[in-house]
Amino acid sequence: MSDLPRKAVTRTAKLAALPLSFAGRATWGLGKRIGGKSAEIVARELQQRTAEQLFKVLGELKGGAMKFGQAMSVFESALPEEVAGPYRAALTKLQEAAPPMPTRTVHEVLAERLGEDWRDLFLEFEDKPAAAASIGQVHRAVWHDGREVAVKVQYPGAGEALLSDLAQLSRFARLLGPLIPGMDIKPLITELRDRVSEELDYALEAQAQQEHAEEFADDPDVVVPEVVHQTDQILVTEWIDGIPLSEVINEGTPEQRDRAGQLLARFLFSGPARTGLLHADPHPGNFRLLPADGDGDGEWRLGVLDFGTVDRLPGGLPATIGESLRMTLEGEAETVYGLLCEEGFVKESIELDPDAVLEYLLPIIEPAEADAFTFTRGWLRTQAARIADPRSPAHQLGKQLNLPPAYLLIHRVTLSTIGVLCQLNATVRLRDELEAWLPGFLPEPDDVAAQA
């Protein structure tokens, strides 16, 4: 039924060929240098060819391969500028589109899940997909009551493809590691694999999206489409127009970039406080910039899509995050170290210098200290290089820290959002959002009174 390449042997062969291709290109590059081309030119050509093949394969396979590519795409800002260019274009393609599922297959899925008379549910249905992602693609349509809708159709065999790809990718995670300095690829793949069953369950996604839609229904800044209909492998939601964030990254005005960045930060921290859920897939393909008044002249709003991956946080983000952040900014090394030990960031068997831990953290949380901070690729590259350099104290200390399971997804979402902010080159009043939404960031009234 499915034209998605899903046979384990086929997908494994395509993915397994990637490291061999990387090695072959390195040999090709050496030959070019011997032939007289400069190392710089050869390196650039090598990176471009590698990027093109890597993300062509990931995009064609959809499934876990494409999901991994999308997760990596938000970190391209951390790449050295001389190699970022070739990757940037290839990565951005993964944020918005992938080779589509054949129309015949789409109709078969719709008939199987909505009934043979599925066309009666729609006044119009566009066979050409408006977007294609890792486990499904979206078609624009008009529901029988006249509402414009997005119809998300899951690829048949998507679950098998996800698990197969991620298992194969984990086998050569070490080879992929150098693509993103300072990032450990294997835990990322493991965490993506652990979320497979949730992402394939459109009932869970519909519930998470509807909870957000109801909470943000009258919000002046954030728009979440309402759920119209849901069944196994099919999710119908209201359609929203807008500028994809990937376009804002490529050609947006400074005002659009700053506004998108501010709202992205606001949604990251306000979502858990308001809904008890953290939207956990913050790549640019899942966001739109919409004019508030509908004609493009007013203040911009942020449209949020795809709630297939969420972290359930009934009490909002853990107060320890806000408390640790505040205490770090205040230079309270001993208190911060104590909090990190209590939460398991420092294992009982390890003893670290609290001042060294503070020194490690301060550059990372610089955006929370300023009234307004401009997120740039240069800043992110500096942070990545500091942590990735085996000779640096930050690298040595970072290797001894632990990331407790409860914080895994929060950590990845935060890093991913910072990556997108750096792609936007946005100036953001991050501190405003932390004060408004992050538990523990502002001292409790009793604490303030005690200090007075």
Side-chain angles (χ1 to χ4, degrees):
M1 174 178 171
S2 172
D3 292 85
L4 173 66
R6 61 175 180 168
K7 287 184 180 178
V9 65
T10 303
R11 303 180 68 81
T12 298
K14 286 197 173 197
L15 288 167
L18 287 173
L20 296 174
S21 298
F22 298 164
R25 286 199 172 79
T27 305
W28 171 85
L30 178 61
K32 286 281 189 178
R33 284 199 294 276
I34 293 172
K37 275 198 173 186
S38 75
E40 183 181 350
I41 293 173
V42 171
R44 196 172 295 129
E45 290 180 7
L46 194 64
Q47 292 286 350
Q48 186 164 356
R49 287 167 180 250
T50 301
E52 285 172 355
Q53 192 213 358
L54 173 63
F55 295 105
K56 179 175 183 289
V57 170
L58 295 182
E60 284 177 348
L61 291 178
K62 303 188 177 84
M66 185 179 175
K67 177 147 290 296
F68 169 72
Q70 288 177 330
M72 283 182 62
S73 71
V74 298
F75 295 108
E76 63 85 6
S77 299
L79 291 167
E81 189 55 41
E82 63 269 18
V83 302
Y87 280 106
R88 196 167 294 148
L91 285 163
T92 301
K93 289 178 184 175
L94 281 177
Q95 296 168 350
E96 283 296 329
M101 185 169 25
T103 300
R104 167 179 54 82
T105 305
V106 175
H107 290 179
E108 287 175 356
V109 175
L110 290 167
E112 183 179 331
R113 300 304 176 186
L114 298 178
E116 292 297 331
D117 57 351
W118 65 269
R119 287 190 179 277
D120 294 343
L121 295 171
F122 302 96
L123 297 179
E124 297 176 22
F125 184 90
E126 295 185 9
D127 285 334
K128 183 180 178 181
S134 54
I135 67 164
Q137 64 188 38
V138 177
H139 293 258
R140 191 167 186 167
V142 179
W143 195 240
H144 57 78
D145 62 5
R147 281 183 289 177
E148 282 195 89
V149 293
V151 184
K152 190 172 179 179
V153 182
Q154 191 174 118
Y155 304 128
E160 299 169 38
L162 273 167
L163 291 170
S164 171
D165 292 349
L166 293 171
Q168 180 65 21
L169 284 164
S170 67
R171 293 191 185 105
F172 56 86
R174 187 171 53 82
L175 293 169
L176 295 167
L179 294 177
I180 305 294
M183 182 179 178
D184 194 349
I185 297 293
K186 198 150 191 173
L188 169 63
I189 296 172
T190 300
E191 194 267 309
L192 290 173
R193 190 175 62 227
D194 290 344
R195 296 279 163 175
V196 167
S197 59
E198 285 189 26
E199 186 151 4
L200 292 168
D201 189 335
Y202 278 4
L204 282 176
E205 179 173 350
Q207 181 184 5
Q209 180 159 341
Q210 189 58 27
E211 287 180 29
H212 278 86
E214 291 172 5
E215 173 61 36
F216 286 91
D218 299 316
D219 194 281
D221 300 319
V222 175
V223 179
V224 179
E226 287 210 11
V227 174
V228 174
H229 185 75
Q230 179 273 321
T231 187
D232 189 27
Q233 292 187 304
I234 305 290
L235 178 60
V236 184
T237 64
E238 291 180 333
W239 179 273
I240 58 170
D241 283 308
I243 306 170
L245 213 58
S246 55
E247 288 186 20
V248 179
I249 288 170
N250 289 330
E251 52 195 42
T253 66
E255 292 76 19
Q256 289 174 330
R257 293 171 182 276
D258 291 348
R259 179 66 174 167
Q262 190 72 42
L263 296 184
L264 196 60
R266 184 167 302 163
F267 181 70
L268 168 66
F269 291 105
S270 71
R274 296 172 63 173
T275 67
L277 299 167
L278 173 68
H279 182 287
D281 195 8
H283 74 80
N286 287 338
F287 299 97
R288 301 285 184 270
L289 207 55
L290 296 77
D293 58 8
D295 61 12
D297 295 328
E299 189 79 325
W300 296 95
R301 296 186 295 169
L302 186 73
V304 185
L305 310 172
D306 199 335
F307 291 80
T309 307
V310 298
D311 199 4
R312 285 164 177 79
L313 304 167
L317 290 165
T320 300
I321 296 176
E323 292 167 6
S324 300
L325 196 52
R326 169 166 54 89
M327 292 298 180
T328 301
L329 291 173
E330 292 175 1
E332 298 289 341
E334 295 287 347
T335 305
V336 171
Y337 185 67
L339 286 169
L340 295 179
C341 289
E342 285 176 22
E343 289 296 301
F345 287 94
V346 181
K347 292 184 176 179
E348 290 182 9
S349 58
I350 292 177
E351 189 170 334
L352 301 173
D353 177 6
D355 289 323
V357 173
L358 193 73
E359 189 176 336
Y360 172 86
L361 293 173
L362 278 170
I364 302 172
I365 65 170
E366 183 184 0
E369 187 172 20
D371 290 334
F373 184 83
T374 301
F375 289 85
T376 67
R377 288 182 164 96
W379 175 79
L380 188 59
R381 283 196 296 271
T382 299
Q383 299 305 318
R386 182 176 72 96
I387 296 169
D389 185 353
R391 300 163 298 180
S392 74
H395 177 80
Q396 297 302 323
L397 191 145
K399 284 200 306 181
Q400 298 178 79
L401 293 174
N402 178 57
L403 188 60
Y407 288 88
L408 272 172
L409 202 53
I410 296 171
H411 179 67
R412 180 168 75 82
V413 171
T414 304
L415 284 182
S416 299
T417 304
I418 289 172
V420 177
L421 294 177
C422 290
Q423 289 178 324
L424 284 165
N425 196 43
T427 298
V428 176
R429 298 179 304 281
L430 184 64
R431 193 179 183 92
D432 289 355
E433 307 305 335
L434 297 175
E435 290 179 352
W437 302 110
L438 182 60
F441 186 72
L442 287 177
E444 294 294 326
D446 291 347
D447 297 336
V448 176
Q451 294 172 6

